[in-house]
Amino acid sequence: MCESDSQFETCLQALKVPQNSKSLFKVLVNIRKELEWPKDRQNILKVRTEGCLGQLVSILQMPQRYIMDVCLSILGNCMMDKNCSRDLVGAYNIISPLSHILKHHQKSDSINGRIFRIIGNMCQHKKDQWANLIIDKKPYIVTHTVELLKKSSADDLPPDEMYSEATLSMAIRALRLLLNCRTVIPLVKDFGVLKAVGSLFIKVSTEWQEHKTKEYLLNNIIRLLHDYSRYKYYNSIMELRNTDNGNSLLHLTNVLLLSPKKIVKIVMNFIKVSQLQSELPVTEICDKFMDEIVSKYLNPEGTDTSNNTGMSSGYLECVQCICYLLEHPANRNLDRCGKCVPLLIKVLDSFQEPNTAQLKCCILLVSTLNHCQYDDSLIQEQLKHNVIEVLLRKLQWIFGTSGALKENHNALRTSKNGNKKRVNRNSQSTTRRKRPRESICRESPNTTLVASPSTSSSAVNEVRQQASVRRQCSASPSSSDEEYAASRYERSPSPCSSIASDEAIFRALSPQRCPSSPANVDDEELSDSDDYSPVCSDVESDKNCSSENEEDEGKEDQKTAELLNDMDCDDEEESEGKKSPAVPEEASIVNLKSLLVTEIAILISSFARVNPIIPQLGTEEMLIALLNCSSHFKATVSAKINTVDIVVKILDSAEYLIPLMKSKFIETMYDLMKVQHSQNCNKCSDYKDVGKIILRQITTLAESGVGMGEIAHALLRRRCQTRQQVTLVIPYILRDKALLARYMLYCDGLDVLLRLLKHEWDMKKRAIKSLCAMASDMLNIANPIDVALNLSPTRTIKDKYKLAEDCEHVVTFKLDDGSVLQADRQFLSDRSDFFRGLLSGHFRESSEDEVRLSHVKKKSLGCLFLLLKTLDDKSETVDVKQDLDTLLDVLVLSDRFLLSHIRESILNSVQKFWVSARTVPVIYRWSLESGTNLLRVECVAYALVADISDAERFQMFNSLFQAGCGEKLKHDIRKLLERYLYNIPIKKSSFFCPRLS
């Protein structure tokens, strides 16, 4: 045994010396043991550099079969090296002796297997060159290989014509590697390769079904069928259908679960050139996949039972293959794959954990459903099985429930950057793509950009490069008509390339690259190579070499096992050269969510075009879920779809109007338009824009002829609850004031809103918001504070009232609490008619130095005297540094003492400086209790139109109701609103609703 480099070189040198068969056999065995591929690659190079390849080829002419077996095994390993292969074919013309050996040893299992292995290894280096050479110069090799497969496909074979699984696998591999765009026609049409392989496939698949044997051979046959299917040649289908044992394509269904991806790729490649639907068992394959999913992975309710995550390898493969079948338009009909649609919807609904694997699978499923959007029957099939509800649950599964949009809005932080550059929505909207873009908010926390454009562009470049290669191949000059014809049947660029989308993510999710369990047998992991262990550790003994017959009989089974071992090593080398480029690092969860949302939105957009309309699309939950998607991503150039556009498209039908008015959707959109933080908050600006767009669309519906009739009918003929729900949102959506006046006055809308103020607090709050929206947005009632601010400039009064030292006529006022206040009698008489009559007239007080005043406070009276002293007869706005109670008391005194100019000054001061959400209940209650009714209307107007938060407004109204002012307040609200509503001109020819009796 050669144990070192020197010993191996000694064996190589011995090979060059003439020896007897026994010694030569030992040398060959020792050499073979040191040529293990790829471990002993250097030794194979030494065989070439030492010039031993020629000796090995000459040894093939020796008659001893055991020597020929070992020599073929050595040559098979040497063929794994590209340079050795070139020398053996070019310099030593190994093809001729191989053809000669096959003619003389047609029934030798080991020799046939090793020669087939050499042919395969040779063709994998220069596939086109050597394959063309063999078919043109030595066609017997192909003919013999095909005949061997034909014989093996017969049911009853004599023992001397039976071949091992390893030999048949090597024959299949050789025929597969002989395939190229030039040889596909002669191999299929002239040599009948597929007819022979199809017959063997039927036999082997039947045995596998019954006994689960020859799985390795079956995998190799499937791989050959897959490679032949990638060439656009219709005769391939005909050959497989018309084999000696029957239609082999029908047996693809029987072994479907052995290699589901490859079998689906075979069908998908053939379907591009098929002429009849019955030629391919698409329906049977779909049924098989569905039975597998339902029986093993889904319970009757449609819930996943495979494991906690629902991502077992078998489950995943079946789902991916069904999706891949539906990529081709020919399969998207009820007859072929219509039953798959309900199952895919169930599977989509079964995923409950938003991890990377499940998100990718959901993207694939929704993308597949999107392929069916142009077939009305499949759309109806989806709707029949509640696809809308499933999509809604997926959106809520990703981003939360229907209230998430509003909660997210209220929880946002104020943006500090007021000068932040914003996206020009007008410019974006003018450049529409084929698919709508996805609008993604700019300041959403904990989010990243959607899939980068580089990913998509690299995928597009890859497709373009493949297309360029194919064009060059098809356009290259051919030496004959046959070559030109062959160029038409070039291999398709990818066995699973999508025909509907060139985006990288969907190609990555097609069956070839879909996420799978490590246990899966992937495309490149299917091994049909020929690497096997060195011939015989047991062959070394002289005893085994005593005679040629003993050698042949004793080692036949051993060599078959060795051949099976060698196949794995050869295929590793073959896969090395064809290994796909590394898939980029997995996309982030956020990117996957954005892609899933894009696909869901596209599908929902397609449903929005369906007539009659789908009621489930226009629900509050669905619309909020769609809008909620946009709030989780940042707006980028690579955004794919704008869910706001989808909502607008859905709301294009007036049939959704009344159901939405009965929900809280319109109120939620109105709340989005309110600035929650500051004018510089970009998020608030985004929400405001969304609210405006949606409400504008609903306004269009409400003010259309159909919309007006529906609303009027709801107000006049519907039950009380519907009338209440519709009336609550009318002020949010109308912009036609005349129409608002009709609904509020002649359809009793205002009465409905005011009656709701008697209901429980939640309904009362909604009524308050609606009344405020009507007053501020539609009737444009002025804010009393704004009115006061437009008055004359304010004069501040900080002094306290004091009697002048030079006063000659002093009068002392004695109050109820016993306190006294002195004043100038002459000054009071000059400035006030009331005091002139009291102090200088015919009353008893005119002769008294001490006058008693009831129901007067000293502080208030002093403030009144100060104002009387400070102000002239003309009123002006003053800011008196007193508390509110004192000012209100001064108002009462000024009214009591007929000091109109002081009353007007104090009214202006209170209206300008004291009216607020906190003080309105105090002022309103004072106005009622004092009987003056001063500032009563102003308080009601402020309560309705003040720019304050909802919480402050509700607290203000709650205080008014708790103070017992409810009935008076409702009366004042009615009078104020009616005054404005009746002033709106209504055309006689316009729509008129009579008042309910």
Side-chain angles (χ1 to χ4, degrees):
M1 179 179 179
C2 299
E3 297 178 354
S4 64
D5 292 343
S6 59
Q7 291 176 333
F8 178 73
E9 293 176 359
T10 302
C11 293
L12 292 180
Q13 295 302 323
L15 192 63
K16 301 177 182 179
V17 179
Q19 301 182 44
N20 58 38
S21 59
K22 184 176 180 180
S23 300
L24 179 60
F25 179 74
K26 285 186 177 182
V27 170
L28 291 174
V29 168
N30 290 331
I31 291 175
R32 176 60 183 87
K33 290 180 180 180
E34 298 298 324
L35 294 182
E36 198 68 31
W37 182 268
K39 180 180 65 175
D40 298 322
R41 187 189 299 261
Q42 294 300 322
N43 288 342
I44 292 178
L45 295 178
K46 289 181 181 179
V47 173
R48 175 175 175 266
T49 56
E50 293 293 334
C52 296
L53 293 176
Q55 279 77 13
L56 292 173
V57 173
S58 63
I59 291 173
L60 291 178
Q61 300 176 4
M62 296 183 66
Q64 293 88 352
R65 287 181 54 190
Y66 62 93
I67 292 178
M68 193 179 300
D69 279 333
V70 182
C71 186
L72 289 173
S73 179
I74 293 173
L75 290 172
N77 272 17
C78 290
M79 278 288 187
M80 295 300 297
D81 181 74
K82 184 176 182 180
N83 295 323
C84 291
S85 176
R86 185 183 64 246
D87 290 350
L88 285 170
V89 178
Y92 303 109
N93 191 22
I94 193 176
I95 297 178
S96 294
L98 292 179
S99 177
H100 179 77
I101 294 172
L102 283 177
K103 289 180 181 179
H104 291 80
H105 299 277
Q106 296 180 3
K107 298 182 179 181
S108 173
D109 182 74
S110 60
I111 290 179
N112 277 275
R114 283 170 171 78
I115 291 179
F116 295 153
R117 181 195 175 209
I118 291 173
I119 297 297
N121 289 351
M122 174 178 62
C123 290
Q124 76 180 10
H125 294 303
K126 290 190 176 182
K127 189 171 184 179
D128 295 348
Q129 180 178 348
W130 304 139
N132 297 342
L133 178 64
I134 291 174
I135 290 177
D136 292 341
K137 303 299 183 182
K138 298 295 178 182
Y140 175 77
I141 295 178
V142 182
T143 303
H144 171 75
T145 308
V146 173
E147 289 299 322
L148 183 145
L149 295 179
K150 281 185 180 179
K151 292 178 182 178
S152 300
S153 64
D155 292 333
D156 298 324
L157 290 175
D160 60 336
E161 293 185 3
M162 296 181 66
Y163 298 94
S164 65
E165 182 180 358
T167 297
L168 295 176
S169 297
M170 285 295 96
I172 295 294
R173 177 176 181 263
L175 292 176
R176 177 171 61 83
L177 293 174
L178 284 169
L179 182 66
N180 59 58
C181 62
R182 183 182 172 188
T183 62
V184 60
I185 292 179
L187 285 174
V188 174
K189 187 176 181 180
D190 300 335
F191 293 100
V193 169
L194 290 183
K195 183 173 288 188
V197 172
S199 295
L200 181 63
F201 174 61
I202 294 175
K203 177 182 178 181
V204 176
S205 62
T206 304
E207 293 178 1
W208 180 81
Q209 278 186 284
E210 296 175 354
H211 311 293
K212 299 300 177 184
T213 58
K214 298 184 179 179
E215 181 174 319
Y216 191 82
L217 174 59
L218 195 54
N219 274 321
N220 279 279
I221 294 175
I222 293 172
R223 187 168 182 182
L224 177 140
L225 295 178
H226 170 240
D227 279 6
Y228 274 76
S229 70
R230 294 166 70 180
Y231 292 83
K232 301 174 184 178
Y233 190 39
Y234 178 68
N235 280 2
S236 298
I237 300 177
M238 301 303 298
E239 293 287 298
L240 290 172
R241 292 187 64 193
N242 301 313
T243 69
D244 296 339
N245 290 342
N247 187 351
S248 62
L249 292 175
L250 297 178
H251 288 258
L252 291 173
T253 308
N254 301 333
V255 295
L256 182 62
L257 300 180
L258 178 62
S259 183
K261 290 182 181 179
K262 282 203 173 294
I263 292 177
V264 168
K265 291 173 187 176
I266 292 171
V267 173
M268 292 298 288
N269 289 333
F270 276 142
I271 203 171
K272 297 174 184 178
V273 293
S274 63
Q275 299 177 2
L276 299 173
Q277 287 190 358
S278 59
E279 289 178 338
L280 299 170
V282 177
T283 304
E284 292 79 3
I285 290 175
C286 289
D287 293 341
K288 186 76 172 180
F289 280 133
M290 289 191 293
D291 293 342
E292 182 72 9
I293 292 175
V294 172
S295 62
K296 291 188 178 180
Y297 305 109
L298 290 180
N299 61 25
E301 286 75 25
T303 307
D304 171 69
T305 58
S306 57
N307 50 34
N308 292 332
T309 62
M311 295 299 290
S312 68
S313 59
Y315 188 17
L316 181 65
E317 277 194 327
C318 293
V319 171
Q320 290 168 349
C321 290
I322 291 179
C323 292
Y324 184 42
L325 282 170
L326 288 174
E327 277 194 6
H328 199 281
N331 295 335
R332 293 199 293 270
N333 56 64
L334 290 176
D335 296 333
R336 280 198 169 188
C337 297
K339 297 179 182 178
C340 296
V341 172
L343 180 64
L344 294 182
I345 295 173
K346 285 184 179 181
V347 172
L348 177 64
D349 198 25
S350 68
F351 294 126
Q352 300 297 331
E353 183 181 347
N355 54 35
T356 300
Q358 293 199 20
L359 284 172
K360 286 183 177 180
C361 238
C362 288
I363 292 171
L364 180 62
L365 289 167
V366 180
S367 174
T368 301
L369 295 176
N370 263 319
H371 291 325
C372 306
Q373 62 179 297
Y374 301 107
D375 190 305
D376 293 339
S377 60
L378 290 180
I379 288 180
Q380 295 301 324
E381 189 73 10
Q382 294 182 39
L383 297 175
K384 178 182 175 182
H385 291 85
N386 304 319
V387 67
I388 301 293
E389 289 82 351
V390 173
L391 295 177
L392 174 59
R393 285 194 288 270
K394 288 299 109 178
L395 292 176
Q396 294 176 345
W397 170 57
I398 298 172
F399 297 125
T401 57
S402 59
L405 181 68
K406 186 176 179 181
E407 292 170 4
N408 191 21
H409 184 207
N410 295 333
L412 290 172
R413 297 179 179 178
T414 305
S415 172
K416 302 286 185 179
N417 186 5
N419 298 323
K420 185 174 181 180
K421 198 170 185 179
R422 298 185 180 178
V423 177
N424 188 343
R425 286 183 174 79
N426 295 330
S427 63
Q428 287 182 352
S429 60
T430 56
T431 56
R432 298 288 184 187
R433 298 184 183 180
K434 213 167 189 181
R435 288 184 177 181
R437 293 172 293 102
E438 181 177 5
S439 175
I440 302 172
C441 292
R442 291 181 289 249
E443 284 192 359
S444 178
N446 301 325
T447 57
T448 58
L449 299 182
V450 294
S452 61
S454 60
T455 304
S456 180
S457 61
S458 63
V460 174
N461 291 336
E462 179 184 344
V463 174
R464 289 174 178 171
Q465 290 173 2
Q466 292 173 348
S468 174
V469 171
R470 295 197 302 272
R471 285 194 299 267
Q472 292 174 7
C473 177
S474 59
S476 59
S478 301
S479 58
S480 65
D481 292 340
E482 183 180 348
E483 289 179 357
Y484 172 74
S487 68
R488 296 174 54 210
Y489 303 107
E490 74 235 358
R491 189 177 62 179
S492 58
S494 170
C496 58
S497 59
S498 173
I499 61 173
S501 172
D502 59 354
E503 296 186 23
I505 183 64
F506 300 118
R507 285 207 315 280
L509 290 173
S510 58
Q512 187 179 10
R513 297 182 183 176
C514 253
S516 60
S517 168
N520 285 357
V521 179
D522 215 357
D523 300 343
E524 299 302 334
E525 291 172 354
L526 289 176
S527 176
D528 60 353
S529 61
D530 325 314
D531 174 52
Y532 54 100
S533 310
V535 181
C536 37
S537 50
D538 299 336
V539 179
E540 300 173 32
S541 62
D542 296 339
K543 185 178 182 183
N544 290 331
C545 302
S546 58
S547 69
E548 295 179 11
N549 293 334
E550 288 178 359
E551 200 63 38
D552 286 342
E553 294 172 1
K555 295 303 172 185
E556 193 65 36
D557 295 335
Q558 173 82 21
K559 293 168 184 174
T560 299
E562 293 162 3
L563 193 59
L564 281 172
N565 275 338
D566 270 347
M567 295 170 69
D568 294 333
C569 241
D570 286 0
D571 212 36
E572 286 176 9
E573 181 68 17
E574 184 182 343
S575 299
E576 262 180 44
K578 298 182 178 179
K579 196 172 290 184
S580 304
V583 179
E585 190 177 347
E586 229 175 289
S588 67
I589 292 292
V590 174
N591 290 341
L592 291 176
K593 285 183 177 180
S594 71
L595 289 169
L596 179 55
V597 168
T598 299
E599 288 300 317
I600 292 177
I602 293 171
L603 185 56
I604 292 175
S605 178
S606 67
F607 292 143
R609 298 191 296 265
V610 175
N611 283 318
I613 68 163
I614 306 167
Q616 297 90 333
L617 280 183
T619 61
E620 177 186 8
E621 293 79 8
M622 174 58 76
L623 300 180
I624 291 292
L626 285 171
L627 296 176
N628 193 34
C629 298
S630 292
S631 67
H632 284 76
F633 300 107
K634 295 185 177 180
T636 62
V637 178
S638 62
K640 295 292 184 294
I641 195 165
N642 187 344
T643 54
V644 178
D645 292 344
I646 305 298
V647 174
V648 171
K649 183 184 294 185
I650 293 173
L651 295 179
D652 197 32
S653 174
E655 296 182 44
Y656 292 122
L657 179 61
I658 296 300
L660 286 177
M661 293 181 74
K662 293 168 66 174
S663 69
K664 292 186 178 181
F665 174 74
I666 295 176
E667 186 177 343
T668 303
M669 294 299 101
Y670 183 77
D671 290 340
L672 287 183
M673 298 174 62
K674 298 178 181 178
V675 177
Q676 298 288 333
H677 312 111
S678 72
Q679 297 297 333
N680 293 332
C681 178
N682 291 329
K683 196 68 175 184
C684 288
S685 176
D686 289 341
Y687 277 120
K688 186 175 181 180
D689 291 342
V690 171
K692 282 183 179 179
I693 293 171
I694 302 303
L695 288 181
R696 188 185 303 123
Q697 179 65 21
I698 298 177
T699 299
T700 303
L701 295 180
E703 295 182 351
S704 64
V706 177
M708 288 190 296
E710 290 290 334
I711 295 175
H713 181 269
L715 293 177
L716 296 172
R717 297 288 182 262
R718 298 286 180 90
R719 60 175 183 260
C720 180
Q721 183 179 3
T722 301
R723 293 179 64 198
Q724 292 173 355
Q725 292 169 333
V726 171
T727 306
L728 281 170
V729 298
I730 285 177
Y732 302 141
I733 59 178
L734 291 184
R735 289 297 171 264
D736 187 340
K737 293 183 179 181
L739 195 58
L740 176 71
R742 297 184 203 118
Y743 291 144
M744 292 294 117
L745 298 176
Y746 305 119
C747 296
D748 288 345
L750 184 58
D751 290 339
V752 172
L753 290 177
L754 293 175
R755 283 197 296 268
L756 287 176
L757 295 177
K758 297 180 180 180
H759 285 62
E760 65 277 2
W761 181 237
D762 290 340
M763 188 62 73
K764 187 182 297 184
K765 288 196 295 186
R766 294 187 63 192
I768 291 171
K769 288 176 61 176
S770 183
L771 289 168
C772 293
M774 185 197 313
S776 59
D777 298 339
M778 295 294 294
L779 302 180
N780 299 322
I781 296 176
N783 189 332
I785 296 179
D786 296 335
V787 174
L789 290 174
N790 293 327
L791 298 176
S792 58
T794 303
R795 183 154 62 96
T796 303
I797 300 176
K798 298 182 179 180
D799 300 334
K800 293 185 179 180
Y801 173 73
K802 292 187 298 184
L803 182 64
E805 296 179 357
D806 57 350
C807 179
E808 297 179 357
H809 305 286
V810 178
V811 60
T812 302
F813 293 98
K814 189 173 181 180
L815 308 179
D816 293 339
D817 58 357
S819 59
V820 295
L821 182 66
Q822 293 181 335
D824 188 340
R825 180 186 294 268
Q826 186 61 40
F827 172 75
L828 293 179
S829 299
D830 294 341
R831 301 300 296 271
S832 170
D833 293 338
F834 175 84
F835 284 110
R836 182 184 305 116
L838 179 67
L839 300 177
S840 301
H842 303 287
F843 294 99
R844 176 172 53 86
E845 288 83 358
S846 60
S847 59
E848 295 177 352
D849 293 333
E850 184 176 282
V851 178
R852 185 174 184 83
L853 287 178
S854 300
H855 307 294
V856 177
K857 296 178 182 179
K858 180 180 179 180
K859 188 176 181 181
S860 303
L861 186 61
C863 182
L864 179 66
F865 289 164
L866 176 63
L867 292 173
L868 193 61
K869 181 179 178 182
T870 306
L871 300 177
D872 53 15
D873 292 339
K874 186 171 67 174
S875 62
E876 60 179 313
T877 304
V878 294
D879 181 12
V880 184
K881 296 305 180 182
Q882 296 289 346
D883 57 89
L884 178 61
D885 291 337
T886 300
L887 293 177
L888 295 178
D889 201 18
V890 172
L891 274 175
V892 175
L893 293 178
S894 63
D895 186 64
R896 173 181 171 183
F897 298 152
L898 305 178
L899 300 173
S900 59
H901 67 290
I902 294 179
R903 183 187 62 188
E904 293 301 321
S905 296
I906 298 300
L907 281 175
N908 293 339
S909 178
V910 173
Q911 185 174 334
K912 186 173 184 178
F913 299 110
W914 287 97
V915 174
S916 67
R918 184 176 56 84
T919 61
V920 160
V922 176
I923 299 173
Y924 187 79
R925 187 170 60 251
W926 165 84
S927 179
L928 295 177
E929 293 174 352
S930 65
T932 61
N933 291 329
L934 296 174
L935 296 175
R936 181 175 175 179
V937 177
E938 286 78 1
C939 287
V940 174
Y942 178 85
L944 291 175
V945 302
D947 187 13
I948 57 179
S949 67
D950 288 342
E952 291 178 302
R953 194 183 308 277
F954 296 148
Q955 180 63 35
M956 176 176 56
F957 273 95
N958 191 38
S959 299
L960 289 169
F961 287 122
Q962 289 178 353
C965 307
E967 292 301 322
K968 292 289 185 181
L969 180 63
K970 288 191 293 182
H971 177 269
D972 290 343
I973 292 174
R974 176 190 294 275
K975 291 300 181 182
L976 178 62
L977 296 179
E978 283 182 346
R979 187 174 69 189
Y980 280 85
L981 288 170
Y982 278 118
N983 287 332
I984 298 174
I986 301 177
K987 296 180 181 179
K988 294 182 180 180
S989 60
S990 60
F991 170 75
F992 178 78
C993 295
R995 180 185 293 274
L996 288 176
S997 58

